[in-house]
Amino acid sequence: LTMLRSVRRTLEETKSYLARATDDEKGRIGRVLKFFNDRDRDHPEGNGHDDGMRPGNPGSMNVEQMVRNMIQQVEEEIRHLEQEQQ
């Protein structure tokens, strides 16, 4: 639970940074986030989650949307774990 809260804080900070980032920075951040998002064993590709990226063309990514979706996914996981602890 602590790790997920830390991930959420990091994603929130990333979202704030993206508001003032250049297109080049957004592209680099998007590639890194996509790498980790794709490696997530709990949510394999094709899981129905829209990560904000269009397949095949890294230039077509919407990094801000991807970060918002990742925050939402982490918040859902946090809520699920909190419910399990009750």
Side-chain angles (χ1 to χ4, degrees):
L1 195 56
T2 301
M3 181 196 68
L4 286 173
R5 288 181 178 141
S6 175
V7 168
R8 181 180 57 196
R9 275 191 305 275
T10 300
L11 288 168
E12 291 288 352
E13 290 171 6
T14 301
K15 184 174 127 183
S16 295
Y17 180 82
L18 286 170
R20 62 185 184 282
T22 66
D23 288 343
D24 184 52
E25 290 170 325
K26 288 178 184 180
R28 283 185 271 145
I29 291 167
R31 285 189 293 278
V32 170
L33 291 175
K34 183 162 177 26
F35 172 79
F36 286 107
N37 198 39
D38 287 350
R39 290 181 49 117
D40 186 349
R41 301 290 183 215
D42 294 330
H43 301 289
E45 190 170 297
N47 62 355
H49 291 292
D50 176 11
D51 62 3
M53 309 253 329
R54 296 185 190 113
N57 182 0
S60 66
M61 67 180 75
N62 180 336
V63 182
E64 290 93 345
Q65 183 63 46
M66 181 179 19
V67 171
R68 284 191 298 269
N69 291 343
M70 292 173 80
I71 291 169
Q72 182 180 8
Q73 290 171 10
V74 169
E75 287 176 344
E76 288 172 6
E77 291 177 44
I78 289 170
R79 279 192 298 274
H80 177 74
L81 288 174
E82 287 174 340
Q83 287 176 351
E84 283 182 355
Q85 289 180 348
Q86 293 179 2

